[in-house]
Amino acid sequence: MGEGASPTAAMEEVRVFPLSCVVQNYAWGKVGLESEVAKLLVSGHSSTVIEEGKPYAELWMGAHPKGDALIKDNRISQKSLGQWITDHPSQLGIKVKDTFHGQLPFLFKVLSVKIALSIQAHPDKELAGKLHSRYPEHYPDSNHKPEMAIALTPFDGLCGFRPVNEIIGFFKSVPEFRAVVGNEATDELQSCVTDSVRVPQALKKCFTSMMNCEKKVFVEQLNILVKRVSEEAAAGRDTSRSNGDLLLQLHSQFPGDIGCFSIYFLNFVHLEPGEAMFLGANEPHAYLYGDCIECMACSDNTVRAGLTPKYIDVNTLCEMLNYSPSPAQSKIFPAVQDPSDACVFIYDPPVPDFTIMRIQVPASMKKYNVSQIDSASILLVVQGEAVVVSSPNMELVIKRGSVLFISANEQLSLHITSDKNMLLFRACCIL
């Protein structure tokens, strides 16, 4: 039987079922039980053994071929979610099935970040197609990869180009940064501060010049900068005009990496739990530290520029980026309360592939109906416990770390059994 499933459902079609999801142990992940990924695993499956020194970076909830979730319900013959969707494409919802050719269009994740991820951007569909056909070893598919991060714990990242006056401020206060960009490019940006038409091209010239700086030059300048900031910090002086704390943090993780200078170009964005940032095509970004929910189009295409030992495609990156400067605050993506359900906050990005719902059910509410939508969805429990009742007469216990697949147009009710508020995240595709 499925976990807690009642026998009356045995012969009926099962449309809601628990998943066992794939963990990725990338080196940048938080280690052991510091990791929210590891904590959720242990809570959801008490038999899971977490290794103390091992990074638990990502939990993949979906049907991506590199991390296809397993179905934990022995009434279902298919072993994985991907196989089940192939055999039951209509359960995606008719519009989703037709628009995305019978595939689940999103990949839902939890990330636990200890070491900065590479400075990167994701191509739009047109560029993804070109890169995949030319360099399939580096760009494994032809899809775009817009993504959204929602903080579970305080979360830091870099996202988008800073306002020009901030970048010019760093040219003045960080001479080593100016040296790796070069006088010609910095002068050009300074000359067009008030000309919004010329700014993107001048910014592109500055960033491209830095990314193509001769290695001997940028390593020497970076060493001078790190020595200067370290001495200032040791003397108790304020290093904020050099973005000192972040510089030393990244340099300790990636010594001698050109990406350390990108902190003077890109916005530093801090998210409190529940706050989000959306990363559209060609938006430069890097996750720095913290735990988050992430949802993205089902793709693995990443163009990297630094803070990484992986393949760096500088020319493609510098050509593709969105060079429109904007303040850090503008990068925080608002959640909107669902007008028909006070428990639901919706993060609806400007792409069709995915929408995320944050569902907060107060403990005082002993029964809660999960809305019926015309899309398959994946539900993650972050806090609380409940018994799920769905047709046909199926009951299922869910708790922190449980992950459920819910077919399109399925009605669920939660009978809340814990004295804590429930916190759930639901990924779906609303067309």
Side-chain angles (χ1 to χ4, degrees), residues 177-371:
F177 171 47
R178 185 183 177 106
V180 299
V181 174
N183 287 333
E184 185 190 336
T186 56
D187 289 346
E188 188 171 322
L189 186 63
Q190 284 175 291
S191 73
C192 67
V193 173
T194 55
D195 184 347
S196 59
V197 176
R198 286 174 56 211
V199 160
Q201 199 55 40
L203 197 47
K204 179 179 181 180
K205 184 171 181 175
C206 284
F207 188 77
T208 304
S209 178
M210 180 191 81
M211 290 305 300
N212 287 296
C213 180
E214 196 183 333
K215 182 162 188 179
K216 179 173 169 287
V217 174
F218 79 68
V219 169
E220 181 184 14
Q221 291 297 330
L222 186 56
N223 287 340
I224 294 168
L225 173 58
V226 167
K227 183 172 184 285
R228 175 169 68 79
V229 170
S230 300
E231 287 170 356
E232 287 172 1
R237 305 223 301 275
D238 177 16
T239 63
S240 60
R241 289 179 73 242
S242 304
N243 212 345
D245 291 348
L246 184 54
L247 173 77
L248 296 181
Q249 176 191 327
L250 294 181
H251 189 262
S252 71
Q253 295 173 3
F254 298 94
D257 190 302
I258 188 68
C260 293
F261 282 110
S262 67
I263 63 174
Y264 303 117
F265 276 120
L266 303 181
N267 284 302
F268 175 80
V269 179
H270 175 77
L271 303 178
E272 285 298 321
E275 290 186 321
M277 57 180 167
F278 172 67
L279 306 160
N282 308 325
E283 185 87 83
H285 63 277
Y287 295 156
L288 300 176
Y289 187 83
D291 306 276
C292 71
I293 296 285
E294 188 183 54
C295 199
M296 61 184 61
C298 210
S299 166
D300 224 11
N301 284 324
T302 299
V303 186
R304 294 181 180 85
L307 304 182
T308 180
K310 293 183 181 175
Y311 175 70
I312 292 183
D313 189 345
V314 170
N315 293 340
T316 299
L317 186 95
C318 291
E319 279 304 311
M320 72 186 271
L321 289 183
N322 168 13
Y323 289 99
S324 301
S326 56
Q329 195 57 32
S330 72
K331 297 301 174 186
I332 296 179
F333 190 91
V336 178
Q337 190 166 28
D338 184 338
S340 62
D341 186 343
C343 295
V344 175
F345 291 82
I346 298 171
Y347 305 82
D348 191 20
V351 293
D353 309 67
F354 61 88
T355 296
I356 308 171
M357 299 175 184
R358 184 178 89 238
I359 307 172
Q360 293 172 283
V361 187
S364 56
M365 192 185 285
K366 287 302 170 193
K367 185 182 175 190
Y368 174 75
N369 291 324
V370 177
S371 60

Side-chain angles (χ1 to χ4, degrees), residues 132-145:
H132 176 60
S133 64
R134 280 188 217 148
Y135 314 108
E137 68 280 15
H138 298 304
Y139 303 104
D141 57 74
S142 58
N143 200 12
H144 66 166
K145 193 189 176 188

Side-chain angles (χ1 to χ4, degrees), residues 72-92:
K72 304 301 285 182
D73 189 321
N74 57 17
R75 296 166 298 166
I76 296 174
S77 59
Q78 294 86 356
K79 294 286 180 277
S80 78
L81 181 59
Q83 291 170 341
W84 188 87
I85 289 171
T86 299
D87 293 344
H88 302 89
S90 64
Q91 304 294 356
L92 292 170

